[in-house]
Amino acid sequence: MAFDAKKSVDVANRAVVEKVDLVKLIENGFTDGMLEIGKLFEAKKLFLPHIMAAAAAMNAALDVLSPELEKSGNKVSEGLGKFVICTIEGDIHSIGKDIVAIMLKVAGFTVINIGRDVPLKDIAKACKDNNARYVGTSALMTSTMVNQKTFEELLNKEGIRDKLITNVGGAPVTQEWADSIGADVYSENASDAVAKMTKIAG
């Protein structure tokens, strides 16, 4: 929350050396900090440059932690299927989604991370082009989570909804929201996403 990339990297390097639980560090440390930044942004106490600076600080740490996570990950199995993941149209947050992407990859999914603020038609196209079995969308603001509903409708319109398992997540997203829009899975955090998706992948 101090927008200090150097200190973030120092923490990440120390965590690797001290062999702490990197997933917990990411979820209870970096992610919690980003969620707090997000709340301040929604309350108009912080602005876009602050979000970008905080994200840059966390991404610098993730550059250190991601290879370590992949290295230490005991893959549940190989080839659990192709998983398209992104932050929904209108939303520029990417941290939580990137953590989920890393952990799904560690678990054995082939992850196609197509970025943030992705137009709904582009998400559907990525699913088709990659012959994906799963698609996950993240929304960190109440104003953008409505696009998760629109996306479900688009998949139906394009005739590919029944070929996909849809997963929704993000700070304002709930199980009730997932149920109301017809999504298959609600993920509260990265660990929850991996647990639920590996179970489905069987």
Side-chain angles (χ1 to χ4, degrees):
M1 291 185 71
F3 319 114
D4 192 330
K6 187 178 179 301
K7 279 189 182 167
S8 289
V9 169
D10 288 346
V11 168
N13 282 322
R14 202 165 78 237
V16 171
V17 170
E18 294 175 11
K19 297 191 175 354
V20 303
D21 185 328
L22 301 185
V23 173
K24 280 187 179 167
L25 169 67
I26 291 169
E27 289 191 339
N28 303 334
F30 290 113
T31 304
D32 275 2
M34 280 307 299
L35 289 175
E36 196 56 38
I37 293 274
K39 284 179 198 163
L40 293 169
F41 176 71
E42 287 223 23
K44 296 191 167 44
K45 289 179 179 172
L46 289 178
F47 302 95
L48 192 55
H50 299 107
I51 293 266
M52 304 304 279
M58 181 161 176
N59 279 328
L62 284 181
D63 286 344
V64 173
L65 299 174
S66 301
E68 294 298 324
L69 270 173
E70 288 185 28
K71 211 165 26 177
S72 66
N74 298 316
K75 286 189 166 52
V76 178
S77 76
E78 289 295 335
L80 290 184
K82 292 182 178 175
F83 200 122
V84 169
I85 191 167
C86 65
T87 311
I88 204 85
E89 184 172 348
D91 203 314
I92 54 94
H93 299 77
S94 64
I95 301 302
K97 175 263 302 176
D98 288 343
I99 294 164
V100 174
I102 292 163
M103 289 180 60
L104 287 170
K105 191 176 173 188
V106 168
F109 289 90
T110 301
V111 179
I112 301 104
N113 186 345
I114 56 173
R116 61 189 184 185
D117 189 14
V118 183
L120 303 183
K121 285 195 170 174
D122 290 355
I123 308 171
K125 185 176 186 301
C127 291
K128 283 192 261 189
D129 291 350
N130 290 285
N131 197 23
R133 181 75 192 97
Y134 318 94
V135 57
T137 58
S138 172
L140 269 289
M141 299 185 289
T142 49
S143 56
T144 57
M145 63 189 266
V146 293
N147 285 329
Q148 291 176 324
K149 181 174 189 282
T150 311
F151 181 57
E152 291 282 336
E153 292 162 358
L154 176 66
L155 292 176
N156 277 312
K157 202 190 300 179
E158 301 224 350
I160 58 170
R161 177 62 186 87
D162 59 348
K163 295 176 184 171
L164 290 159
I165 303 290
T166 60
N167 183 316
V168 293
V173 179
T174 61
Q175 183 65 60
E176 289 72 24
W177 171 249
D179 293 342
S180 74
I181 67 172
D184 295 307
V185 182
Y186 158 66
S187 297
E188 188 179 354
N189 53 40
S191 300
D192 191 38
V194 171
K196 286 175 177 171
M197 297 315 296
T198 49
K199 191 176 178 188
I200 288 168

